[in-house]
Amino acid sequence: MERTEIDIIKQMPIADFLARLGHEPVRRSGNELWYIAPYRGERTPSFRVNVTKQLWYDFGLGKGGDIFTLAREFIGSNDFMEQVKFIAETANMLMPVPEVSKPTFLPKPSEPAFEGVEAVPLLRSPLTDYLAERGISYDIASRYCCRLNYGVRGKRYFAVGFPNVTGGYEIRSRFFKGCVPPKDVSLVKAEGSPADVCSVFEGFMDFLSAVTLGLETGDYLVLNSVSNVEKAMKHLDGYGRIDCYLDHDAAGRCTLKTLKEHYGERVCDRSALYDGCKDLNEYLQLTTKKEMNNNL
C-alpha cells in the first residue's frame, strides 16, 4: 500500500469511524466526545475522543492512541496492515491488496445491517437542535422528516429520517450520515393541481433549505446521491421545466451536464443564487448568520 493511502486512512475522523461501527457519543464537552467503551462492557462512559487532535483514550483500560491503535483494540491484532484493512473496510474504502501476480481490490462492503427500523414523528430533541444549527426550523423539518429509531449490532440509535420513493430512508445526525436501504430518490409533490416545474437537489438538507428560503415552485426531487441521476429521469420526464440546485463541485457540474444532455433547454441551472458557497444549505447558514448579526 502506498504511503498516501495510509495518510488518507489516518485522516478519517475517529468519530466517523466509530459511527460506521454503530457507536454514537453519549455527550460532548468542548472538543471532546465521550462514549461507552465500544469494545467492552461498561455503564459509565469512560472512552474519550479528542476531535481536534484525533486521539482517543480509554480511562477504564488506561490505553489510547490514534485510529490505528483503536482498530487494534477492535480486532485484537498488532499487525498494522490488518488494522489498515479493518479501517478501510469499515469506511467503505477500496484498498489494494498485494498478491503474487498483480494487485486486486476488496469488494465494497454494504451498509451496516439496520435492525428494528421504526419511523416516528420528529419531536423537539437534540436532532432538531442539530437541524437548527444548519438553518432548518423545527416547523419545516417536522413537515418532511421523521425520527428514525434503529438498531445496529444489538444497540439502539436514532437519527433524522427522510423517506425515498421505494421505502428507504436517508438518515442524518450530528455524527452519522447514511442510508437505510433501498437507496433511491425522494419526490415531494406540491399540493393542488399537477406541477409543470420540478426543483432538483442533491441532498435533503438542500431541499429543506429551499423550503426555508421560500423557493417553492412546483414539485421537488432529491437525488440523495448524484449516482441516482438515471433513476431520477423516469420521474422528471413529464415536467416542462427542471430547476437544478446542485453543488458547486465536479459531481454537481457533471450531474447538471447529464440532465442538460437529456432534457435540453428544459433544464435551468439555479446555482447562481448561492455563488461562493458549496451548496444551498451553506448559503442558508451564511444568510441566517448575517440576519442574526444585523438584528443585534
Side-chain angles (χ1 to χ4, degrees):
M1 175 173 282
E2 296 292 334
R3 182 70 214 176
T4 54
E5 293 166 328
I6 299 292
D7 290 338
I8 290 172
I9 291 175
K10 189 176 182 179
Q11 291 169 12
M12 180 182 182
I14 291 177
D16 290 355
F17 174 58
L18 289 169
R20 273 288 182 181
L21 291 166
H23 302 285
E24 299 280 0
V26 296
R27 73 173 187 269
R28 179 168 192 150
S29 177
N31 64 348
E32 295 179 343
L33 304 177
W34 289 85
Y35 295 77
I36 299 295
Y39 42 72
R40 62 182 178 84
E42 66 173 2
R43 293 185 178 180
T44 302
S46 64
F47 184 94
R48 181 188 68 192
V49 172
N50 186 305
V51 297
T52 302
K53 298 179 180 178
Q54 287 305 312
L55 296 173
W56 65 277
Y57 190 80
D58 186 341
F59 286 86
L61 295 181
K63 291 183 177 181
D66 59 12
I67 193 169
F68 299 108
T69 57
L70 180 55
R72 180 185 64 198
E73 296 301 316
F74 276 104
I75 64 177
S77 173
N78 289 319
D79 188 315
F80 180 70
M81 291 311 298
E82 286 298 316
Q83 297 163 15
V84 170
K85 178 181 176 182
F86 178 70
I87 298 167
E89 289 178 339
T90 301
N92 284 355
M93 295 178 181
L94 292 176
M95 190 187 79
V97 180
E99 289 187 350
V100 175
S101 57
K102 60 180 181 179
T104 59
F105 288 85
L106 294 172
K108 186 177 181 180
S110 60
E111 289 280 357
F114 293 95
E115 308 155 354
V117 177
E118 177 189 26
V120 299
L122 182 65
L123 303 178
R124 295 184 186 276
S125 70
L127 292 176
T128 54
D129 293 342
Y130 159 66
L131 292 174
E133 290 173 10
R134 300 193 62 168
I136 310 299
S137 71
Y138 170 75
D139 289 341
I140 288 175
S142 61
R143 193 189 318 168
Y144 298 102
C145 301
C146 65
R147 167 174 163 151
L148 210 69
N149 301 324
Y150 62 94
V152 176
R153 299 178 180 89
K155 295 186 178 181
R156 299 296 294 174
Y157 303 97
F158 56 88
V160 178
F162 184 71
N164 65 35
V165 297
T166 51
Y169 290 87
E170 294 298 307
I171 57 175
R172 299 288 185 278
S173 70
R174 194 183 303 276
F175 305 106
F176 184 73
K177 175 180 179 180
C179 167
V180 175
K183 184 86 170 179
D184 211 326
V185 302
S186 301
L187 186 63
V188 180
K189 291 280 191 177
E191 296 181 0
S193 58
D196 190 49
V197 178
C198 186
S199 297
V200 177
F201 307 89
E202 288 189 33
F204 76 87
M205 287 295 178
D206 292 329
F207 156 66
L208 296 175
S209 300
V211 177
T212 301
L213 292 164
L215 307 178
E216 301 185 55
T217 53
D219 296 344
Y220 301 93
L221 186 139
V222 183
L223 294 170
N224 293 321
S225 169
V226 293
S227 64
N228 283 337
V229 66
E230 297 293 335
K231 293 181 180 180
M233 289 180 179
K234 64 182 179 182
H235 301 286
L236 294 173
D237 285 344
Y239 293 98
R241 193 178 86 217
I242 300 167
D243 289 344
C244 293
Y245 297 86
L246 303 173
D247 289 5
H248 282 140
D249 59 15
R253 290 189 293 273
C254 182
T255 303
L256 179 67
K257 180 181 177 182
T258 299
L259 290 172
K260 282 188 172 182
E261 287 175 350
H262 191 81
Y263 294 109
E265 294 182 358
R266 291 158 64 184
V267 172
C268 300
D269 180 10
R270 300 299 185 190
S271 65
L273 170 65
Y274 43 98
D275 271 346
C277 297
K278 177 183 179 295
D279 56 31
L280 194 57
N281 183 248
E282 183 178 300
Y283 170 76
L284 172 64
Q285 292 182 61
L286 289 175
T287 302
T288 303
K289 185 178 293 186
K290 287 179 182 178
E291 289 177 354
M292 292 176 62
N293 290 335
N294 290 335
N295 292 329
L296 292 178

